[in-house]
Amino acid sequence: MKRILLLPLVVALTMTPSINAKTIEVEIHGMTCALCVDSLNRKFNKMAGVEEVAVSMKMKKVRLETKEKSPTTTMIKQAILDAGFTPIKVTVISNEDANN
């Protein structure tokens, strides 16, 4: 009986972070090598509010899974500029949009 009651609680707790999260994709100009990818990975892994980072040199994009309100797109653009690259297009995808 206890297992039956615990299962919905565990599922609800594991789903909560994804409900309050958002995905941000940024097209980047200037990424040409594996060191560029590594530089951006390190930069975003240190940034508060970023839960997951995926950098694609082939697609020239960074995809970030973030908490709902942090970091802002301005902060993300500035981090890209500070790393020596140019943000071209920023797309914010809320998890509600992705699930529908």
Side-chain angles (χ1 to χ4, degrees):
M1 183 68 175
K2 288 181 182 179
R3 287 184 186 177
I4 294 173
L5 295 175
L6 282 177
L7 184 60
L9 178 62
V10 171
V11 171
L13 289 175
T14 57
M15 295 300 288
T16 302
S18 63
I19 292 171
N20 294 328
K22 65 181 175 182
T23 302
I24 300 173
E25 281 188 352
V26 185
E27 290 181 33
I28 298 176
H29 177 72
M31 254 195 319
T32 58
C33 65
L35 291 174
C36 299
V37 171
D38 185 53
S39 173
L40 287 168
N41 265 319
R42 282 186 282 120
K43 181 71 119 174
F44 286 116
N45 279 318
K46 290 179 185 177
M47 185 177 278
V50 175
E51 296 176 344
E52 191 174 325
V53 180
V55 182
S56 171
M57 186 173 60
K58 182 179 179 181
M59 303 284 289
K60 308 280 192 231
K61 286 186 180 183
V62 173
R63 184 178 182 103
L64 305 169
E65 299 292 330
T66 67
K67 294 181 180 175
E68 187 173 358
K69 297 189 182 210
S70 178
T72 64
T73 55
T74 303
M75 292 167 64
I76 291 169
K77 287 180 186 179
Q78 189 60 51
I80 293 168
L81 290 169
D82 291 346
F85 307 102
T86 306
I88 303 297
K89 179 182 175 187
V90 178
T91 306
V92 178
I93 306 165
S94 71
N95 278 353
E96 291 175 4
D97 295 341
N99 292 333
N100 291 333

